[in-house]
Amino acid sequence: MANVVVVGAQWGDEGKGKIVDWLSERADVIARFQGGHNAGHTLVVNGVIYKLNALPSGVVRGGKLSVIGNGVVLDPWHLLNEIKKIGEQGVEITPDNLMVAENTPLIMPFHGELDRAREAQAAGSNARIGTTGRGIGPCYEDKVGRRVIRVADLADPATLEQRVDRALVHHNALRAGLGLEPIDRAALLKELNAISAAVLQYAKPVWKVMNEMRRAGKRILFEGAQGSLLDIDFGTYPYVTSSNVIAGQAATGVGLGPNAIDFVLGIVKAYTTRVGAGPFPTELLDADGDRLGERGREFGTVTGRKRRCGWFDAALVRQTCAISGINGIALTKLDVLDGFDTIKICTGYSLDGEVLDYLPTAAEAQARCTPIYEEVEGWKESTEGARSWNDLPGAAVKYVRRIEELIQCPVAMLSTSPERDDTILVTDPFAD
């Protein structure tokens, strides 16, 4: 059976939640492999809206195993609250359908405090990254610094105290420099002990279970968060997230070998958006940009921040397709482009008189890149809710085909509304 990785191929917010939900009906296991609860996935199922941050999108589907892998950083308090909230919508989460890797790093309250203090200190300067302030980055820093608290540590009070003490030596020094009060050790340990049993009921050796599932021929769907252009190595650094977002992380993030990946599906909007600071070559600061934002309802699921909008950047998506080894893309929100007389596609950049077909690595050079546009015909007819190629206007089909040519990757799926069934399947990612 084929195993599929779903990754965002732009700056996130591409519509991964709907596509993962659509695919999860055919999967046996849905696994989150990186990121944290800074990722917002909105699912619309039978008219019911589910908003998830920490939980894999598969939890809304009965009979599936959802997995939070070791590549994720997990806020345990947020997890328990999200389980409770989604339970109030009629979705039952139990240790039978949710599994958390024992070696998953835990986000502590002081991680979020540090995150927000740093952003506040950098306010009004180019040093501000534009994080969600939820402690994702500081937790990944502690993981690399070997001072993070992991899920398994909750099971042993003595080990937990040692982990907390090691973290506090580092963080109290940082807090002093930022003008924050020292961390209350006793209060933190009390909070952790209070939730330990609730969290530990989901703890498992994920690497072992996932390998057993694979050997048994189960279909695994790897669910990525954020987007490839926010990857810590290949994104628009330093305006990136703190984890590897690209497809190669899927195996490492759950404890499988790279040969477990059979198909990589990249999620791509029919235009481009970005939240927060950083370069954005095709950004539109005009009526067309406002129109895209209004029609696409471009506000962040997690923060509510208005997203920056621009034309489709084929040069960037071609780049992310290559880095993640994307086999096919799922093109979303085509309907947002309905009604435009003409539509522009970025095919490359001009930098100091030189034409580039990729975005350079240096931040200073990225900021000075000017997009080179190709103009294509728009369409007046509605594409919303289309479920076959025959339902699409001819100009819309031409637009999709031109994108395929420019990014050098075929369209495997086409989404025409937030409803899961409004999807045109071209290539089945799960086909062997």
Side-chain angles (χ1 to χ4, degrees):
M1 295 292 183
N3 298 322
V4 178
V5 177
V6 174
V7 293
Q10 293 163 311
W11 276 293
D13 310 309
E14 301 96 347
K16 291 183 292 297
K18 171 198 168 169
I19 300 300
V20 169
D21 176 61
W22 194 92
L23 291 169
S24 68
E25 191 170 42
R26 301 182 57 206
D28 301 300
V29 183
I30 298 90
R32 278 281 308 272
F33 59 86
Q34 53 77 220
H37 63 304
N38 54 345
H41 291 176
T42 300
L43 312 178
V44 182
V45 183
N46 298 326
V48 180
I49 298 174
Y50 301 95
K51 293 191 175 183
L52 307 176
N53 300 120
L55 291 168
S57 296
V59 296
V60 300
R61 294 289 161 192
K64 313 294 180 182
L65 175 63
S66 290
V67 173
I68 296 176
N70 56 276
V72 173
V73 288
L74 181 66
D75 183 325
W77 295 275
H78 181 94
L79 173 69
L80 296 177
N81 286 334
E82 193 169 313
I83 289 172
K84 179 182 178 183
K85 183 177 180 181
I86 201 168
E88 293 169 352
Q89 291 186 275
V91 178
E92 185 179 12
I93 307 294
T94 72
D96 292 327
N97 61 12
L98 176 65
M99 182 170 62
V100 179
E102 295 171 320
N103 52 340
T104 300
L106 295 177
I107 299 171
M108 297 290 105
F110 55 76
H111 288 132
E113 292 167 2
L114 176 60
D115 205 353
R116 294 186 291 274
R118 284 172 169 171
E119 285 289 278
Q121 188 182 58
S125 74
N126 291 332
R128 194 172 187 275
I129 301 298
T131 76
T132 58
R134 295 195 168 190
I136 312 301
C139 187
Y140 274 117
E141 289 177 37
D142 279 359
K143 176 182 178 179
V144 175
R146 292 166 290 188
R147 54 181 170 266
V148 82
I149 298 160
R150 305 197 296 181
V151 170
D153 298 329
L154 298 177
D156 180 47
T159 299
L160 181 60
E161 288 194 28
Q162 292 173 9
R163 297 284 189 268
V164 166
D165 288 341
R166 180 173 172 80
L168 264 52
V169 169
H170 175 79
H171 280 273
N172 280 333
L174 284 179
R175 293 168 72 89
L178 290 166
L180 299 175
E181 293 293 323
I183 298 164
D184 187 330
R185 178 182 184 274
L188 176 60
L189 285 168
K190 183 178 180 181
E191 289 182 58
L192 288 169
N193 287 322
I195 64 165
S196 61
V199 174
L200 286 169
Q201 65 177 318
Y202 301 106
K204 296 283 176 56
V206 160
W207 68 269
K208 184 175 185 295
V209 176
M210 292 292 281
N211 275 277
E212 290 170 352
M213 290 283 185
R214 185 182 175 227
R215 284 196 295 271
K218 302 296 183 182
R219 283 179 168 172
I220 302 171
L221 184 61
F222 301 88
E223 177 184 9
Q226 291 93 32
S228 299
L229 293 170
L230 296 174
D231 185 90
I232 187 68
D233 288 314
F234 295 100
T236 48
Y237 191 90
Y239 304 99
V240 293
T241 193
S242 297
S243 62
N244 283 115
V245 180
I246 60 175
Q249 173 64 20
T252 307
V254 298
L256 284 170
N259 60 347
I261 299 172
D262 299 303
F263 192 98
V264 180
L265 181 69
I267 315 299
V268 179
K269 270 180 185 166
Y271 51 102
T272 311
T273 63
R274 178 165 198 170
V275 172
F280 186 172
T282 66
E283 183 174 13
L284 295 171
L285 301 174
D286 58 13
D288 285 338
D290 291 340
R291 183 177 177 181
L292 289 172
E294 290 165 7
R295 295 203 59 187
R297 296 183 289 277
E298 296 297 349
F299 295 91
T301 303
V302 174
T303 64
R305 288 181 294 181
K306 183 179 179 181
R307 296 174 185 139
R308 301 155 64 190
C309 298
W311 296 121
F312 185 84
D313 193 329
L316 273 180
V317 175
R318 183 169 60 244
Q319 193 168 324
T320 57
C321 284
I323 292 167
S324 270
I326 291 175
N327 301 101
I329 66 166
L331 191 66
T332 67
K333 290 198 170 185
L334 182 67
D335 54 299
V336 173
L337 297 178
D338 293 352
F340 279 93
D341 293 325
T342 58
I343 300 169
K344 294 181 180 180
I345 304 173
C346 174
T347 59
Y349 313 102
S350 175
L351 178 64
D352 300 331
E354 182 182 359
V355 175
L356 301 178
D357 61 357
Y358 68 97
L359 191 67
T361 300
E364 185 272 337
Q366 291 175 352
R368 291 189 296 110
C369 281
T370 301
I372 298 172
Y373 285 120
E374 175 180 305
E375 199 168 277
V376 299
E377 178 188 1
W379 55 89
K380 296 298 182 181
E381 307 94 324
S382 173
T383 62
E384 184 175 1
R387 298 185 180 182
S388 74
W389 287 109
N390 292 333
D391 295 334
L392 296 175
V397 174
K398 289 181 180 178
Y399 178 72
V400 174
R401 295 306 187 199
R402 184 56 180 149
I403 284 177
E404 289 181 313
E405 292 173 358
L406 290 170
I407 67 173
Q408 299 171 3
C409 186
V411 169
M413 300 172 67
L414 192 64
S415 169
T416 56
S417 94
E419 292 291 338
R420 72 190 301 271
D421 292 329
D422 291 339
T423 305
I424 300 171
L425 179 64
V426 181
T427 300
D428 182 0
F430 277 118
D432 290 330

